[in-house]
Amino acid sequence: MKKVLFLSMMLTAAIAVSAQMKVAPKLEKGMTKVYNEVATTKVPGQKEVTITTDTRYMVTEVTADGYVIDVKTISFSTDATPDNIAGQLLSSASELMKDANVRVATNKDGKAEKIVNYAELKTQIEGMSDKLIGKLYQSIPQLSQMVPKDILRQQMVENITEERLLTTMQNVPSLLALNGKSVMTGAQEDYLNEQGMKMRRMYFVNGKNIVTNSSMNMSKDELKTLIIAQVEKVAPDQADMIKQNIDQLVESGMLKMDMKETATFELQDDGWVKSITIDSTLDAVGQSTTTHVVVTAK
């Protein structure tokens, strides 16, 4: 019996070892990769919107600690119609980065660690946001009454802080997200997503394919804090009312929030991503928003 148990333990250990890997893509100066991304989002009460972008990743420097990778969105298109407010806002958030060159310092495994040109990038993006807001107000006149320019501008540029950019590159399923990680089947990690939600991710490894399943992992108190912070940004005149009633609203389920996400990464022989497929669902205030993203190497 002990012998059978020992063999079973050894077999389990062997399976665990075979289902793990270190993600460290080949990097050398001059290396260039281009990826196409097609993101389709369905917002309740609005037409489905598809945003298509091409992004170039170019290794431009070799440093003592790693590399510098220039990340640039070289093309952008959307099928959002002028009357689709949610679609226009989503499209503007993506278009904001068009032609912006983000210089990312990485370690030797390609993990994003710093935005080298952040000051320059910030100035460029703020200028671009003003142009996009003018375009939005022209195509959707009622938007200027619904969302003042200052608040809309803040919403656009707040995700372009250096911290948010690094969080996106390190945590959100993307081309650099797995770099530097040793992943294995069953491994879990906690992280913050783009919306500031605490999430928990589990990994599943099968050869060059890596699947991640994520779900929101927040206490009621953390959820209350997040909701109040979001209301203060988008509707500050409603913040006091929400603060006074937040306990009742959360307990009743009126402000219930949840998010789930599944991503499948396929790696190439050189360690770079070949493709990513991402499906996410955000449930908030009784409404469900779904997004399907396909990223492929060109």
Side-chain angles (χ1 to χ4, degrees):
M1 182 66 182
K2 289 183 179 180
K3 185 175 181 180
V4 172
L5 180 60
F6 177 75
L7 289 174
S8 176
M9 291 172 61
M10 290 301 98
L11 179 59
T12 300
I15 292 173
V17 170
S18 66
Q20 63 178 323
M21 66 184 301
K22 172 72 175 288
V23 181
K26 178 182 177 181
L27 295 167
E28 57 184 26
K29 187 174 181 179
M31 178 178 283
T32 301
K33 303 279 186 175
V34 178
Y35 290 86
N36 172 258
E37 177 177 313
V38 180
T40 301
T41 302
K42 177 61 177 176
V43 177
Q46 300 283 342
K47 295 178 182 177
E48 188 175 84
V49 175
T50 297
I51 299 170
T52 304
T53 56
D54 281 345
T55 304
R56 184 182 66 211
Y57 294 73
M58 180 184 296
V59 182
T60 54
E61 292 184 31
V62 179
T63 67
D65 301 317
Y67 303 86
V68 174
I69 302 176
D70 284 20
V71 182
K72 186 173 184 178
T73 300
I74 55 178
S75 72
F76 163 88
S77 65
T78 177
D79 65 358
T81 56
D83 61 336
N84 188 337
I85 296 178
Q88 289 289 337
L89 291 172
L90 282 170
S91 299
S92 293
S94 296
E95 190 175 2
L96 193 62
M97 296 302 294
K98 185 177 182 296
D99 296 326
N101 188 41
V102 185
R103 308 201 71 223
V104 186
T106 76
N107 65 9
K108 294 185 183 299
D109 293 327
K111 178 185 176 182
E113 296 187 330
K114 181 179 177 60
I115 307 300
V116 177
N117 64 332
Y118 179 70
E120 172 190 342
L121 187 66
K122 183 174 182 288
T123 300
Q124 180 181 350
I125 288 172
E126 287 176 346
M128 184 64 171
S129 70
D130 290 336
K131 292 180 181 179
L132 289 174
I133 290 172
K135 179 181 173 183
L136 281 170
Y137 284 168
Q138 185 175 10
S139 62
I140 312 173
Q142 67 270 31
L143 185 61
S144 62
Q145 304 300 318
M146 298 167 58
V147 187
K149 181 178 180 179
D150 289 345
I151 292 178
L152 186 53
R153 187 173 187 269
Q154 179 185 351
Q155 287 293 298
M156 279 189 172
V157 302
E158 72 171 357
N159 289 328
I160 315 300
T161 64
E162 182 174 11
E163 181 181 4
R164 285 290 185 92
L165 285 171
L166 287 174
T167 294
T168 299
M169 292 179 181
Q170 294 170 352
N171 294 332
V172 178
S174 60
L175 269 295
L176 305 180
L178 295 180
N179 291 358
K181 294 185 178 182
S182 294
V183 296
M184 63 181 295
T185 295
Q188 297 184 46
E189 66 179 359
D190 295 323
Y191 66 97
L192 288 177
N193 69 4
E194 293 173 292
Q195 291 78 30
M197 295 179 178
K198 288 186 176 180
M199 303 285 289
R200 176 162 293 170
R201 173 186 288 136
M202 179 176 284
Y203 288 92
F204 301 89
V205 181
N206 182 16
K208 290 187 173 64
N209 290 338
I210 299 172
V211 177
T212 65
N213 287 335
S214 302
S215 58
M216 195 174 77
N217 183 36
M218 300 180 69
S219 67
K220 286 186 178 180
D221 286 341
E222 290 171 334
L223 183 58
K224 292 173 188 176
T225 300
L226 176 65
I227 291 171
I228 290 172
Q230 292 298 321
V231 172
E232 287 176 335
K233 291 176 184 176
V234 300
D237 55 327
Q238 300 294 319
D240 287 340
M241 184 273 289
I242 293 295
K243 289 177 183 178
Q244 294 170 10
N245 296 280
I246 189 69
D247 290 330
Q248 180 181 351
L249 291 170
V250 170
E251 293 298 332
S252 68
M254 291 181 65
L255 292 183
K256 182 179 179 181
M257 294 179 67
D258 192 20
M259 185 167 187
K260 297 186 184 301
E261 179 181 80
T262 298
T264 301
F265 295 78
E266 182 182 1
L267 301 183
Q268 302 179 82
D269 291 339
D270 63 1
W272 281 81
V273 167
K274 181 178 182 181
S275 67
I276 313 173
T277 302
I278 309 157
D279 286 288
S280 62
T281 302
L282 172 62
D283 293 315
V285 200
Q287 302 290 322
S288 183
T289 298
T290 61
T291 303
H292 176 70
V293 181
V294 178
V295 181
T296 52
K298 296 190 75 173

